[in-house]
Amino acid sequence: MTTVAGNGEKGVPQDGGDARAQPLVDPRAIALDSKGNLHICERGGHALRVVDTAGKIRTVAGTGQKGAGGLGGPPESCPLDRPHGALPHPRSGEIYVSDSENHRVIRIEKR
């Protein structure tokens, strides 16, 4: 076994950091996109993170605080509440996220 993301501590990862050296908050679901990027839903961290093929982690969506609203703006400023799963579209690059406690599925456009 090899760790791909998370250092075993609870916390918010630093964007651009080595994914294996960064903390995570309650990772629950993962999905690979067609380019080999690993998407991680942090249910308790209220965020969607991505680990690129170079092993760097960054926040794709969510502020880290649970909430609703913010649709139509940048995904990083859109509060999520316990995201439970992500599905990258294989051709368009969009990502669909189940935002559990907001009772919605959101689409994040390719950026």
Side-chain angles (χ1 to χ4, degrees), residues 27-58:
R28 290 292 178 105
I30 58 170
L32 284 172
D33 66 20
S34 61
K35 295 180 181 177
N37 299 307
L38 177 68
H39 299 266
I40 304 169
C41 276
E42 286 188 326
R43 188 158 165 80
H46 310 290
L48 175 66
R49 318 273 186 209
V50 66
V51 178
D52 65 23
T53 57
K56 304 298 181 188
I57 193 167
R58 68 179 172 84

Side-chain angles (χ1 to χ4, degrees), residues 11-19 21-25 42 49 57-59:
V12 177
Q14 180 181 16
D15 278 356
D18 178 351
Q22 299 299 313
L24 294 173
V25 179
E42 286 188 326
R49 318 273 186 209
I57 193 167
R58 68 179 172 84
T59 301

